[in-house]
Amino acid sequence: MTSDILIISDDEPTNRLMQIELNLEGYSVVFEQDSKTGFNTARTAKPKLVLLSEQAPGIPILELCHRLRSLSTTLKIILLTNTQQINLSDLPIDDFLLSPLRMDELLLRIAINLRKLTPRKASVLTNL
């Protein structure tokens, strides 16, 4: 079983809204309400990207990020946070978004982070 995006958050209304929007954009999405279950799901679902709420109960955020990183070197992690005081060097994440979420910004950040997974084809210029 594979999925594009795993959402780990205990905010059920926001989870449902994100799932609907992401499904409309063509992503397969699964969500979990706590970090322990979320980590177990990440092991089986093998998502390309995790949307992780810093408020999700269970495993502490720093430990969870390290565990997720151990699953895949290409896994992208976007932290959903309420604070602007994020030190990206302290957390092994790729990006973060401030709450309340703006769906257009969320979709843009997901697209940018997933695009980084796709190797670019080399362009060859020739003189004819």
Side-chain angles (χ1 to χ4, degrees), residues 2-125:
T2 62
S3 94
D4 294 322
I5 299 171
L6 168 62
I7 301 169
I8 302 174
S9 171
D10 63 345
D11 183 352
E12 179 124 7
T14 302
N15 291 349
R16 293 282 182 207
L17 178 62
M18 286 190 292
Q19 185 178 30
I20 290 167
E21 289 290 332
L22 292 169
N23 285 154
L24 289 172
E25 292 294 318
Y27 297 109
S28 60
V29 180
V30 64
F31 68 88
E32 298 294 350
Q33 293 191 341
D34 68 84
S35 56
K36 184 176 180 182
T37 307
F39 176 72
N40 289 330
T41 298
R43 290 191 321 192
T44 57
K46 300 185 184 343
K48 297 174 187 168
L49 184 139
V50 173
L51 293 172
L52 174 60
S53 170
E54 72 176 341
Q55 304 299 322
I59 303 168
I61 194 79
L62 181 60
E63 182 182 342
L64 177 61
C65 288
H66 284 293
R67 285 186 186 188
L68 289 168
R69 285 281 180 236
S70 74
L71 296 177
S72 168
T73 58
T74 60
L75 177 66
K76 298 296 181 180
I77 301 171
I78 299 177
L79 184 67
L80 307 175
T81 181
N82 294 327
T83 179
Q84 294 182 0
Q85 305 303 318
I86 296 293
N87 187 346
L88 294 178
S89 63
D90 290 343
L91 285 174
I93 61 173
D94 298 288
D95 206 348
F96 71 95
L97 282 168
L98 292 174
S99 295
L101 293 175
R102 287 188 20 233
M103 209 47 64
D104 58 338
E105 184 177 7
L106 175 69
L107 294 172
L108 178 64
R109 297 284 184 92
I110 288 171
I112 289 169
N113 278 282
L114 289 178
R115 191 175 311 133
K116 292 176 186 175
L117 293 175
T118 307
R120 294 184 182 199
K121 294 182 180 179
S123 297
V124 177
L125 299 176

